[in-house]
Amino acid sequence: MDLNLYPLGSIGPLKLGQPIRKVINILQNNHQNYGKVDVITSPNKPLYDPIILQLNEVGLTLTFDQYNQVLSLIEFYPSQNSAQMKYKSESLIDSSTSKYSYKQIRQSISEVSSYKFSEFNSNTDQEQKEDKILKHKKKEQENNQKEEEEEENQEEEEKNLEEKKEKEEEESEFYEGKMFYLHFRGLTFIFAIPLKYQTTINNEKDITNEISHQLEPNKILIYNCDQFGTPKPIALPKTTSYMSKVCYNLESKEGILSIPKKKINISLGCFTQQVLSLFGSPDKTFKKNVSLQYENNLNTNSFSITEPLYDYFYNYFEFGIDFLFHNSAHTLQKIILHSNYQFASDFSYYNRCNFQISINSKCTITPFTKFDQILHHFKEKPHILTIKGRTNKFENAVKFYEFRKSGIAFEVYSSYIEKIILFKPH
């Protein structure tokens, strides 16, 4: 698999600024190339910590901004990857060593923004160092246990000890001393300088032709930055409808949902055709509580099977919205808005809906509002139930709070609002 590299942009089909739903769809559709995807997230601080997708089989780590849920940082570990990285269709692999090298990178990418040397002292790198050392120690203990159980002879023990020593030396070679950062605009290569060269290399001019073949990058970063190379958050294009505000006022009796940027206004009770004309064809439709109904035919003394009419949903994944329609009247009964939290059962099926639900002049609910902050703004007590069979990935129950007089309900996990359901008050 070849992956083309673009500073400030992308690696292969993965581009900075893509919503997490789109990225996961790309990975799923190309599972044979990317392999298993691990989602790393914090259940305790989902509003603050980024979402990370780790693809160990290809050496990729993808970091997403928690607010917009768009790809903000791409990390690539060449040593773990069997793919060939290219820049403007030119391979970054040194033909003489069949590995990524400093020399080949400098030949392929000529315009260097800046470079620097630094001691190995960042928190992230230190954590990686400690993690690798712990893994090494664990493996060493397992090897020791295996040696005892199998009662290996002295010759094999000496051989294993020798291998361990070599591994320790190899680890220390890259986890002590200087790191060399080669910066381009929106693209950084990080090299670990082997111990034997650390006294001779103090700036880029000291990297001789011989050394340049041996310097391999252990990490490549792709990120957004300004004209001076300073990293900055991803700004959504003004033309995009992604994360557009979706507004609703609970004090209004009209029950109108509006998306000002798209000039959309839709009201509860409207017909299917109005939704289709404003939102287009749904991404998916499904019936609510589909089951077969058996009726006894007394005239023939036999049974006939009929399929009754059911309420049905229109799913709009791009908007993060579902619409529920009445089975025979075909009128809009409920509107479901999705926060797309990483612990939700339907995480990554929807884009995050950037809803703005006004309870009153003093309180507006957004995807980042915690449920216990808004409870006192309601004049009624909610009907509460624990949703059976609904647990999130952390195996905690999801609770359902319904305010019938206000026409709103919430699916909540640990005070975080997963979904909002809007309906006519009753």
Side-chain angles (χ1 to χ4, degrees):
M1 179 175 67
D2 291 344
L3 293 175
N4 284 308
L5 183 68
Y6 295 96
L8 287 169
S10 63
I11 180 169
L14 306 173
K15 299 178 181 179
L16 295 177
Q18 284 177 332
I20 192 167
R21 174 180 170 268
K22 185 172 183 178
V23 171
I24 289 178
N25 283 340
I26 291 171
L27 299 178
Q28 288 176 337
N29 293 333
N30 296 275
H31 176 72
Q32 67 278 8
N33 292 327
Y34 292 101
K36 181 183 176 184
V37 180
D38 293 318
V39 180
I40 301 173
T41 183
S42 168
N44 300 319
K45 296 189 293 182
L47 296 177
Y48 307 102
D49 292 344
I51 303 171
I52 297 172
L53 301 183
Q54 203 161 42
L55 293 79
N56 292 323
E57 293 180 29
V58 293
L60 276 172
T61 299
L62 310 175
T63 302
F64 295 82
D65 170 70
Q66 180 50 264
Y67 181 83
N68 291 326
Q69 293 191 333
V70 295
L71 183 57
S72 58
L73 173 66
I74 301 172
E75 298 175 76
F76 175 63
Y77 299 85
S79 60
Q80 302 176 21
N81 193 280
S82 58
Q84 185 173 147
M85 185 72 66
K86 292 184 175 182
Y87 178 77
K88 293 183 178 178
S89 301
E90 185 175 348
S91 177
L92 298 180
I93 294 178
D94 194 324
S95 58
S96 63
T97 61
S98 298
K99 296 180 179 180
Y100 293 94
S101 72
Y102 167 83
K103 182 176 182 179
Q104 186 63 33
I105 290 168
R106 288 293 282 111
Q107 287 178 350
S108 302
I109 313 176
S110 56
E111 296 180 3
V112 179
S113 172
S114 66
Y115 66 87
K116 70 174 182 177
F117 290 84
S118 68
E119 295 300 323
F120 192 94
N121 58 3
S122 70
N123 292 334
T124 302
D125 290 339
Q126 184 64 29
E127 288 171 4
Q128 291 177 354
K129 173 185 175 181
E130 291 172 357
D131 183 54
K132 193 162 185 179
I133 290 172
L134 286 171
K135 286 181 180 177
H136 177 76
K137 286 183 178 179
K138 186 178 179 181
K139 191 173 182 181
E140 186 179 27
Q141 291 172 356
E142 290 173 354
N143 288 339
N144 287 335
Q145 188 177 356
K146 189 176 179 181
E147 288 170 8
E148 292 174 5
E149 289 175 356
E150 296 178 358
E151 297 181 353
E152 293 179 338
N153 57 42
Q154 186 66 27
E155 186 179 339
E156 289 175 334
E157 288 179 1
E158 288 177 1
K159 186 180 179 181
N160 287 336
L161 289 171
E162 217 171 283
E163 288 177 356
K164 288 174 192 173
K165 188 176 180 182
E166 287 176 3
K167 285 180 182 178
E168 287 173 359
E169 288 175 354
E170 188 179 346
E171 277 190 2
S172 64
E173 187 177 18
F174 289 99
Y175 279 103
E176 293 177 9
K178 294 179 180 177
M179 303 291 288
F180 174 47
Y181 297 79
L182 187 60
H183 294 293
F184 304 86
R185 192 180 172 205
L187 175 66
T188 294
F189 293 85
I190 302 177
F191 301 84
I193 301 177
L195 287 174
K196 59 182 177 180
Y197 295 125
Q198 289 192 16
T199 55
T200 58
I201 298 179
N202 293 305
N203 57 62
E204 194 181 21
K205 294 179 180 179
D206 295 331
I207 301 176
T208 64
N209 187 56
E210 179 187 354
I211 297 173
S212 67
H213 284 289
Q214 300 178 44
L215 280 181
E216 298 177 42
N218 58 353
K219 187 190 290 188
I220 300 172
L221 306 177
I222 303 171
Y223 51 92
N224 190 44
C225 67
D226 59 22
Q227 59 181 337
F228 304 105
T230 305
K232 66 176 185 179
I234 298 288
L236 296 177
K238 293 181 179 179
T239 54
T240 184
S241 61
Y242 178 70
M243 286 295 287
S244 296
K245 289 183 179 181
V246 177
C247 305
Y248 190 87
N249 189 347
L250 291 177
E251 290 185 314
S252 171
K253 295 180 180 180
E254 297 176 348
I256 296 176
L257 183 86
S258 65
I259 306 177
K261 192 171 185 179
K262 299 284 288 183
K263 297 181 179 179
I264 288 176
N265 291 286
I266 202 84
S267 61
L268 289 165
C270 73
F271 291 100
T272 310
Q273 292 89 336
Q274 290 171 274
V275 173
L276 291 172
S277 65
L278 292 170
F279 288 86
S281 298
D283 297 305
K284 188 178 180 182
T285 62
F286 74 94
K287 296 177 182 178
K288 181 182 177 182
N289 298 327
V290 173
S291 61
L292 289 177
Q293 179 176 315
Y294 296 84
E295 294 181 348
N296 187 9
N297 189 327
L298 297 176
N299 295 329
T300 59
N301 198 27
S302 62
F303 287 91
S304 63
I305 301 175
T306 62
E307 186 176 354
L309 295 172
Y310 295 96
D311 292 348
Y312 55 94
F313 288 93
Y314 279 2
N315 307 124
Y316 291 90
F317 300 134
E318 293 288 333
F319 288 92
I321 300 176
D322 296 328
F323 297 106
L324 175 66
F325 296 94
H326 188 269
N327 58 53
S328 57
H330 304 291
T331 53
L332 182 58
Q333 302 297 298
K334 292 181 180 179
I335 303 172
I336 298 94
L337 312 175
H338 297 260
S339 298
N340 194 41
Y341 275 117
Q342 53 269 39
F343 43 68
S345 60
D346 52 9
F347 170 66
S348 81
Y349 283 91
Y350 297 84
N351 283 335
R352 168 168 283 168
C353 178
N354 188 18
F355 50 78
Q356 314 281 311
I357 311 297
S358 175
I359 300 177
N360 52 46
S361 59
K362 296 181 180 179
C363 182
T364 299
I365 309 168
T366 73
F368 317 102
T369 305
K370 298 187 78 171
F371 184 70
D372 54 12
Q373 296 173 342
I374 63 173
L375 198 54
H376 66 281
H377 285 277
F378 289 96
K379 298 176 181 179
E380 59 177 305
K381 289 186 178 181
H383 295 265
I384 306 172
L385 63 94
T386 299
I387 303 176
K388 293 181 179 179
R390 268 293 322 276
T391 58
N392 58 24
K393 65 178 289 186
F394 302 104
E395 299 183 352
N396 291 313
V398 177
K399 290 190 175 182
F400 182 81
Y401 297 83
E402 185 181 31
F403 298 87
R404 294 177 181 175
K405 293 180 181 179
S406 300
I408 189 168
F410 303 85
E411 283 190 18
V412 178
Y413 157 70
S414 187
S415 197
Y416 297 105
I417 301 170
E418 288 188 9
K419 295 177 188 176
I420 286 181
I421 301 96
L422 302 172
F423 52 89
K424 286 189 174 181
H426 54 80

